[in-house]
Every structure is written in structure tokens, then in C-alpha cells.
Amino acid sequence: MARPDKAAAVAELTDKFRNSNAAVLTEYRGLTVAQLKTLRRSLGENAQYSVVKNTLTKIAANEAGITLDDQLFAGPTAVAFVTGDPVESAKGLRDFAKENPNLVIKGGVLDGKALSADEIKKLADLESREVLLSKLAGAFKAKQSQAASVFQALPSKLVRTVDALRAKQAEQGGAE
């Protein structure tokens, strides 16, 4: 490949690293074309899975300001560039790797921070952003309901106390 082609490939990979929320490096040795197609579908709409050259990818990552361990670039490498929810793509990779042991998750990057393969698996165990936001909204709603019932209880308790005082005064006034 000519030098300008390599420069263009590095520039394209650099842009992908800069424009993605996360990137996961995998080894795909032994996977068929049909399996790779299935993998691409399982990653979701917000991820692009590309087979890459190790040297060019390492140069591109460095140019994007990302430092990755040299061991990630051993063997045939493919990168999943994630522009949306990284949890969804991590789950897709984890689930596909369970069914196809030839896919090996090597490591990756999340918001500029290097991740090990174990950290990516932990990321896959998280619930999706939408589920977490729903739980947060539910917690806020529950706290608001608790606060509303406390605020409603205060005036009614005050009214009951005042009524009890009046009754006691009326009782004491009638007894004298």
C-alpha cells in the first residue's frame, strides 16, 4: 500500500477514535464472514465494527490522544467504534463472545480512558442508560410522594392538636 493510502487510513481511524464515545478492540481469528455480519448487527445502530491493521490503529490512537497497551495490537484486530450507548455495544460483544468463543475481547477505551477486557465485561453487566434513568426518575418520584405526605401530615396534625386543645379548654371551662 502506498504511503498516501496509509496516511488516509490513519486519518480515518483517528477521526473514528475522536468521534466515538468508546472503542473496543477484539480478536476475530476463526470467525466466518457470516458470523462477523451477525456480530455487526448485534452491536446496535450506534456502533461500527471494522477490521483494522494493528500498526495503523496504534498510530491513529496515539494521534487521537489515546494511549493503549501494545499487547492489544497482537494478532488480527477489529475495533468496535461506539458513538451511542457503550453499554449496549459491550453487551452485544459479550453475548456474541459467549456463543462464539473465537471472538476475544482484548480491551478498549471509554471517554479517553483505557479499559481492560474485564472492565469491558463489567460495563456490559450494567443496565442500559434508559433503564438507569427510569430507576432514577422512579426514585425521585417516590421521594416527592414521601415529601408530599409529610407536608400534608403537618397541617392535619396541627388541626387535630388545636381541636384537642379547644376540647380540653371547653371541658375545663365547663367544669369550673
Side-chain angles (χ1 to χ4, degrees):
M1 192 154 73
R3 186 87 184 137
D5 291 344
K6 289 183 180 181
V10 168
E12 181 182 347
L13 287 170
T14 302
D15 285 342
K16 286 182 180 180
F17 273 114
R18 286 184 180 146
N19 295 330
S20 61
N21 299 337
V24 180
L25 283 77
T26 63
E27 183 175 321
Y28 63 93
R29 187 188 331 245
L31 293 176
T32 65
V33 173
Q35 288 172 322
L36 286 173
K37 189 175 181 181
T38 303
L39 172 59
R40 285 185 175 103
R41 272 195 233 116
S42 71
L43 291 178
E45 297 175 5
N46 298 323
Q48 182 182 8
Y49 190 74
S50 305
V51 174
V52 294
K53 292 191 178 283
N54 289 332
T55 306
L56 300 180
T57 305
K58 186 174 180 183
I59 293 168
N62 287 334
E63 285 185 12
I66 299 168
T67 306
L68 294 172
D69 188 13
D70 290 340
Q71 294 176 346
L72 295 177
F73 298 101
T77 303
V79 182
F81 293 101
V82 182
T83 55
D85 184 10
V87 174
E88 178 185 352
S89 298
K91 284 181 186 203
L93 285 167
R94 179 200 58 197
D95 295 344
F96 187 85
K98 282 181 184 177
E99 295 174 15
N100 301 284
N102 288 335
L103 180 73
V104 178
I105 298 172
K106 297 179 181 182
V109 179
L110 176 64
D111 294 327
K113 179 187 176 269
L115 299 176
S116 68
D118 289 335
E119 290 172 322
I120 291 172
K121 290 175 185 169
K122 287 179 186 175
L123 181 66
D125 291 336
L126 290 176
E127 293 175 331
S128 72
R129 182 175 189 272
E130 290 78 19
V131 171
L132 291 174
L133 288 174
S134 296
K135 286 185 175 183
L136 182 63
F140 280 139
K141 184 177 179 186
K143 291 295 179 191
Q144 287 176 342
S145 296
Q146 289 173 352
S149 48
V150 165
F151 292 135
Q152 287 174 349
L154 290 174
S156 70
K157 187 174 183 181
L158 178 65
V159 168
R160 285 194 304 267
T161 305
V162 169
D163 285 343
L165 284 173
R166 281 187 192 151
K168 188 173 184 181
Q169 285 177 349
E171 226 177 72
Q172 287 175 352
E176 291 179 17

